[in-house]
Amino acid sequence: LSAAEGLDLDDLADLVQELPHAITAQVMESLDSQHRHRLEAVLSYPENTAGHLMNTDTVTVRPEVTLDGVLRYLRRLGDNVPDDTDSLIVVNREDKYLGILKLAALVTHDTSDTVAEVMTLTVQPLQAATESADVARQFEQNDLISAPVVDEQGILLGRITIDDIVDVIREEGEHQFMGQAGLS
């Protein structure tokens, strides 16, 4: 159980799938209810999909908030801002994905501007059912560092970061190399 402490949710999801059922149950019981719920959400998606790759740790903001309010919120979060956060995800009150607020825009615009005035609408979220190979292609084609993941109704579920995609790309490269060598 101590090996599971400190792991990112997506890495923990990979680990518990390889463990015997009894140990998996112990790991699940050791988590607080919020982390257990998040892990169960990730585990509910097939292994090679965006939903399974995602991490539910995100920073979300509402469109009506001023940039000053966002900066104060981030300062309060302090070290609790997830790693590889290059943008904040803009959602409405029902957690429906609306766009992203890039950190660069946050620090370069007037603090009296609202998130809605500065946010980017061009970043399309990934559907949770998207195959991991397609996710990797989208990261490569769009030079993404992170991308939001949504369900069929557009509700934000989490995000995928570049470190998750590097693992997918590495696995695909190894699979292709083995296939060329006639191995499975």
Side-chain angles (χ1 to χ4, degrees):
L1 293 179
S2 64
E5 291 178 22
L7 285 178
D8 287 337
L9 187 69
D10 52 336
D11 295 330
L12 183 57
D14 291 337
L15 176 66
V16 297
Q17 288 186 312
E18 302 298 325
L19 297 173
H21 181 69
I23 295 174
T24 298
Q26 287 178 344
V27 169
M28 296 295 276
E29 288 175 18
S30 72
L31 299 172
D32 62 43
S33 63
Q34 181 183 23
H35 285 93
R36 184 174 34 256
H37 178 70
R38 288 177 174 181
L39 180 57
E40 288 169 347
V42 170
L43 291 173
S44 71
Y45 292 98
E47 189 171 340
N48 291 319
T49 63
H52 190 79
L53 288 172
M54 74 178 175
N55 194 322
T56 57
D57 290 336
T58 61
V59 179
T60 61
V61 294
R62 302 269 196 277
E64 65 274 6
V65 176
T66 65
L67 298 186
D68 182 56
V70 173
L71 288 168
R72 284 185 282 132
Y73 173 59
L74 289 174
R75 285 186 196 106
R76 259 190 321 207
L77 286 177
D79 291 338
N80 293 324
V81 174
D83 292 340
D84 298 321
T85 298
D86 63 320
S87 58
L88 309 178
I89 303 172
V90 184
V91 295
N92 65 15
R93 293 194 186 278
E94 292 79 36
D95 284 332
K96 185 165 179 142
Y97 173 81
L98 301 175
I100 63 164
L101 174 62
K102 294 183 179 186
L103 292 183
L106 176 61
V107 298
T108 58
H109 283 78
D110 191 286
T111 57
S112 64
D113 289 346
T114 64
V115 170
E117 294 172 308
V118 180
M119 66 188 242
T120 301
L121 302 172
T122 58
V123 176
Q124 294 300 310
L126 300 167
Q127 295 293 315
T130 304
E131 293 290 324
S132 58
D134 292 334
V135 172
R137 271 191 290 286
Q138 288 186 37
F139 265 73
E140 181 181 2
Q141 290 170 352
N142 299 311
D143 294 325
L144 299 174
I145 295 173
S146 67
V149 178
V150 297
D151 67 10
E152 301 82 28
Q153 289 78 38
I155 303 299
L156 181 69
L157 299 172
R159 70 185 179 118
I160 297 176
T161 60
I162 190 68
D163 68 319
D164 303 318
I165 297 306
V166 168
D167 295 339
V168 170
I169 293 169
R170 186 179 306 126
E171 288 172 12
E172 283 188 17
E174 289 172 0
H175 179 72
Q176 288 177 354
F177 178 74
M178 298 290 275
Q180 290 173 349
L183 303 170
S184 61

